Amino acid sequence: MHHECGLIGLYHVDQAATKTYYGLYALQHRGQEGCGIYTCDEQSFEGQKSFGMVRSVLEDKVEKLEARGARNALGHCLYVSKENHLTSNLQPMHFRHMRAEFALASNGSLLNQEQLCAELQQNGAIFQSTSICEILAYLLVQNKDKFLPALTSSLQRLVGSFCYVILRRDKLYAIRDPLGMMPLALGRLGEGWVIASENCAFDIIGAEFVRDVEPGEIIEISANGLSSTRFAERQKSAICLMEYIYFARPDSEIDGINVHLSRFRAGMQLARESFAPSDLIVGVPESATSTARGYAEECGVPFDQGLIKNKYSGRTFIESTQTRRDLAVSMKLSPIHPLVKGKRITLVDDSIVRGTTSRQIIAMMRRAGAREVHMRIASPKMISPCFYGVDTSSYDQLIGSTRSTEEICRCIGADSLAYISNEGLRRAIGRDSVCDACFSEHYPTPLFDYKNIIDAEKERRARCHTGNEKDLEKTL
Ligand code: AMP
């Protein structure tokens, strides 16, 4: 199952449940489908979780969670595709076993999940969810070593992009996969500690950023303080480029790079690479706002808020049908007519996946009287599926997998379309050690369960080369 979620763990902190709630509130952009908090003291674990946004699910529950004065807590907000929208997938998950009791929350995706699932079931596991939490939990308890060595060898079995935070009665663990594909930050709060997917969760609770959790690292926090061990050798990391482009909040800093500034620089780079003469630069709110500002700064054309985002709208991207996605985009975004009328507009967005958003907003701009609409995209063309957490796991979801830029331009109805170059984006972000699989088809890990998708696509392309046009039509 693919997940991009938000995690937060607090250790030895007063009002741990309340602070976890605020931290989750700051991480809401990482998962809007569900959320939960578990607390624990010497006696027991206590938890609340449900589908829905952080505020609506947890606001009334925090007081109850706070009642026992627990100083350790774990929180999670869930981003999940429609087919995995199961109650059993809500996190944190609480596991009680003769060898260990713990609450566990995760972010990411295991590429060898099917294989591990089969093996664990042979040994008696009964899975209730499709979550990668259960995989780690079963690996852990089927290992007869003490907790940390068992955890270390369990993690060595996992292939993919993952972060885990584990809460035991007296300890908190933070884990980031060997390639560091997703962010995880460590902070200090008074005498206590905080772990969070992004350090934007620290300000709101008064915590100070200490450092990023390292790829392949296990941090263990206990009454004795913090200790660090590794479950994987140091290697060149591969953070997901989409974290900088789309997922993370602009005020977060990931591996030493501020997200807003990296987007701003990407906008400047995009303008250098593919400037279109225009009267106004408009960013698609909100993830492309920083990028559009950078674009405008570089080309000297005014930037304005030509598109407004309805604050109360949900996520359009994972709606289940095209009609619902279309409707969701028009419920979410609307143009400011007098700003747009009679002008040549350059629209800047972070990505084109299916093309739904671009097509709709270009049509909106034209209805509002725009004379020309040029589309500029701050990521390279998405040509291949992501199996690591972004919810695009098949070729036919991607307009860029079968169409040329000119064809996409016609499909979305733009006067011109350009994407940032892969090279240019890396330079703008300021790091080379990234995962760009969705733009390059170069996957940084073995593919296991997903290899058949790539093989089938290769076969389809080979058939298309031999002139079977019907196959080419399939994905259009
Ligand atoms: P689409 O409308 O299908 O072309 O998707 C592109 C839009 O969805 C962009 O405006 C992005 O901001 C947003 N987006 C890109 N990737 C994701 C994702 N993994 N989850 C949710 N939204 C996304």
Side-chain angles (χ1 to χ4, degrees):
M1 178 175 68
H2 308 127
H3 268 163
E4 274 280 354
C5 302
L7 304 175
I8 180 162
L10 267 67
Y11 186 83
H12 230 255
V13 168
D14 289 336
Q15 295 192 299
T18 309
K19 286 177 182 143
T20 302
Y21 167 71
Y22 287 128
L24 280 181
Y25 197 72
L27 295 170
Q28 181 77 83
H29 60 285
R30 297 191 70 85
Q32 301 178 3
E33 274 65 62
C35 57
I37 297 178
Y38 269 75
T39 60
C40 80
D41 56 19
E42 290 79 37
Q43 262 90 54
S44 59
F45 284 78
E46 184 88 30
Q48 295 284 347
K49 54 184 174 177
S50 181
F51 286 113
M53 306 273 277
V54 171
R55 192 160 174 193
S56 65
V57 171
L58 294 169
E59 194 176 32
D60 300 339
K61 315 263 174 23
V62 171
E63 211 177 311
K64 185 163 175 263
L65 284 168
E66 207 61 90
R68 289 180 315 145
R71 300 187 77 214
N72 304 336
L74 177 61
H76 184 264
C77 51
L78 178 73
Y79 168 31
V80 69
S81 55
K82 278 276 181 282
E83 65 274 19
N84 288 309
H85 208 266
L86 311 168
T87 311
S88 55
N89 277 335
L90 288 166
Q91 298 184 36
M93 293 186 185
H94 176 211
F95 299 94
R96 198 182 296 126
H97 188 270
M98 58 192 281
R99 269 197 276 280
E101 181 178 8
F102 52 92
L104 178 54
S106 67
N107 173 23
S109 168
L110 299 180
L111 276 70
N112 58 344
Q113 181 159 355
E114 252 178 53
Q115 188 182 308
L116 290 171
C117 244
E119 180 191 315
L120 289 162
Q121 286 181 80
Q122 294 290 344
N123 293 332
I126 301 171
F127 288 98
Q128 300 194 12
S129 73
T130 55
S131 164
I132 67 170
C133 278
E134 276 192 308
I135 304 282
L136 181 60
Y138 271 117
L139 284 170
L140 246 169
V141 298
Q142 287 186 1
N143 187 309
K144 297 201 171 59
D145 279 340
K146 288 201 159 135
F147 194 86
L148 188 55
L151 178 62
T152 306
S153 32
S154 303
L155 291 168
Q156 286 163 348
R157 302 285 322 276
L158 309 182
V159 178
S161 62
F162 53 87
C163 289
Y164 287 102
V165 181
I166 307 174
L167 180 65
R168 294 174 70 198
R169 293 244 166 104
D170 52 352
K171 290 191 175 84
L172 183 72
Y173 297 84
I175 293 140
R176 194 170 173 200
D177 70 68
L179 296 175
M181 296 183 78
M182 308 202 158
L184 195 62
L186 170 72
R188 198 84 226 238
L189 182 49
E191 298 290 293
W193 297 92
V194 195
I195 300 287
S197 290
E198 292 176 41
N199 66 347
C200 67
F202 291 171
D203 275 349
I204 190 169
I205 56 174
E208 254 174 58
F209 174 66
V210 175
R211 66 173 174 89
D212 295 281
V213 177
E214 282 183 27
E217 184 181 15
I218 304 173
I219 289 181
E220 182 187 75
I221 302 170
S222 70
N224 301 326
L226 181 145
S227 66
S228 163
T229 53
R230 305 193 63 81
F231 65 96
E233 297 283 305
R234 259 174 235 281
Q235 53 188 298
K236 197 170 171 225
S237 64
I239 182 106
C240 166
L241 265 177
M242 286 303 281
E243 287 286 349
Y244 289 103
I245 298 166
Y246 170 75
F247 276 115
R249 227 170 74 160
D251 52 333
S252 288
E253 199 159 304
I254 303 176
D255 295 339
I257 298 169
N258 172 269
V259 172
H260 161 75
L261 293 176
S262 69
R263 288 181 189 165
F264 193 89
R265 290 192 299 267
M268 294 178 84
Q269 176 68 23
L270 190 54
R272 284 194 287 271
E273 288 183 8
S274 59
F275 172 68
S278 44
D279 308 308
L280 188 69
I281 310 299
V282 173
V284 181
E286 279 145 15
S287 43
T289 304
S290 310
T291 322
R293 284 184 181 277
Y295 187 101
E297 167 100 1
E298 177 66 21
C299 63
V301 174
F303 163 90
D304 210 333
Q305 239 185 322
L307 269 175
I308 292 298
K309 181 175 173 188
N310 184 322
K311 286 196 196 91
Y312 308 100
S313 62
R315 178 170 265 155
T316 55
F317 187 81
I318 59 172
E319 290 291 349
S320 50
T321 65
Q322 191 56 41
T323 318
R324 288 181 62 127
R325 280 193 289 272
D326 284 346
L327 184 66
V329 174
S330 44
M331 282 170 73
K332 183 161 100 173
L333 297 166
S334 15
I336 299 187
H337 289 238
L339 284 185
V340 169
K341 195 164 182 204
K343 302 230 175 76
R344 296 170 302 166
I345 306 288
T346 293
L347 272 174
V348 180
D349 201 358
D350 51 78
S351 57
I352 296 181
V353 183
R354 300 180 184 91
T356 313
T357 310
S358 310
R359 191 165 23 82
Q360 291 259 349
I361 54 179
I362 290 167
M364 272 177 209
M365 289 286 156
R366 296 209 192 276
R367 284 198 297 273
R371 200 146 50 88
E372 291 172 19
V373 188
H374 303 277
M375 195 79 208
R376 294 293 176 269
I377 304 296
S379 56
K381 187 153 75 161
M382 230 177 240
I383 56 166
S384 39
C386 174
F387 309 122
Y388 298 108
V390 178
D391 185 28
T392 55
S393 53
S394 73
Y395 279 93
D396 49 10
Q397 289 171 333
L398 305 172
I399 194 170
S401 72
T402 47
R403 299 197 177 199
S404 68
T405 302
E406 294 69 35
E407 285 171 324
I408 298 170
C409 182
R410 276 202 299 280
C411 275
I412 62 175
D415 289 291
S416 75
L417 165 68
Y419 296 86
I420 197 169
S421 66
N422 202 328
E423 260 292 302
L425 179 61
R426 286 157 186 260
R427 208 170 327 123
I429 288 174
R431 64 186 292 186
D432 206 31
S433 49
V434 293
C435 173
D436 64 356
C438 55
F439 311 126
S440 67
E441 233 165 15
H442 295 132
Y443 294 90
T445 66
L447 290 175
F448 290 92
D449 309 343
Y450 298 95
K451 191 171 173 299
N452 57 349
I453 297 181
I454 303 293
D455 291 346
E457 176 63 14
K458 278 188 188 146
E459 235 174 73
R460 193 191 67 78
R461 283 182 202 162
R463 281 204 306 276
C464 290
H465 274 302
T466 57
N468 191 340
E469 292 298 319
K470 268 211 182 99
D471 281 324
L472 184 61
E473 291 292 311
K474 188 189 86 186
T475 54
L476 303 184

